[in-house]
Amino acid sequence: MTAESLETRIRRKLTRQHFMHHIGADLTRIEEGRVEAELQLQQQHLQHVGFAHGGLVATMADLAAGFAAVTLVPEGTGVVTVELKTSYLHPGVGQRLRAVGWVLKAGRRLHFCEAEVWCDALLIAKATATMAVVEPPV
């Protein structure tokens, strides 16, 4: 599969990612087994002290890891998160979140992934995720 057709396929799947659009995130880099997502931080993304909300940070890690897995499954097949562990290293204070996700091991039924979330130039979270391959109903 060419990089252009991979990106076209993933962008088509993005049209159904309503929550991702709701929070203002977008994929900025799409490669086989690796994806980056970005979001401009706004007031609605912050918790009471002014840091990026932990749920938002975990969501960005999940999006990046999940779409990294999607790049490795056939057309018509998807993935769902079965496990996500997020470790918060620093508070998210800045202008932009960037999540980088990659696949460590792609299996027939499960993909094991990792993600990092950066706020501006600071690594603020690391995550591990297990994605289950979901095949279309027969």
Side-chain angles (χ1 to χ4, degrees):
M1 174 179 301
T2 68
E4 183 176 31
S5 66
L6 174 64
E7 182 154 349
T8 299
R9 181 171 69 91
I10 299 304
R11 295 256 173 234
R12 189 171 52 251
K13 287 183 180 268
L14 285 177
T15 63
R16 297 188 315 267
Q17 287 297 319
H18 305 294
F19 188 69
M20 185 176 125
H21 299 301
H22 176 70
I23 63 172
D26 192 22
L27 297 188
T28 55
R29 187 171 185 174
I30 300 168
E31 302 171 2
E32 278 193 35
R34 186 180 180 88
V35 163
E36 293 185 20
E38 292 187 11
L39 174 142
Q40 289 300 123
L41 280 173
Q42 298 177 13
Q43 186 166 355
Q44 69 264 23
H45 297 127
L46 307 179
Q47 46 84 291
H48 67 285
V49 180
F51 304 152
H53 192 282
L56 176 71
V57 173
T59 295
M60 291 295 288
D62 184 50
L63 285 169
F67 271 104
V70 168
T71 67
L72 299 179
V73 298
E75 180 67 35
T77 304
V79 302
V80 294
T81 307
V82 296
E83 181 181 48
L84 178 69
K85 181 198 180 290
T86 306
S87 297
Y88 300 92
L89 308 173
H90 296 280
V93 179
Q95 303 299 311
R96 179 177 63 104
L97 290 185
R98 180 174 61 92
V100 181
W102 59 92
V103 177
L104 290 173
K105 181 186 181 296
R108 202 171 63 110
R109 296 279 178 220
L110 297 174
H111 285 32
F112 297 93
C113 307
E114 288 185 340
E116 296 176 343
V117 181
W118 297 76
C119 188
D120 298 336
L122 181 64
L123 177 64
I124 64 167
K126 289 273 295 179
T128 58
T130 306
M131 303 291 167
V133 177
V134 180
E135 296 178 3
V138 181

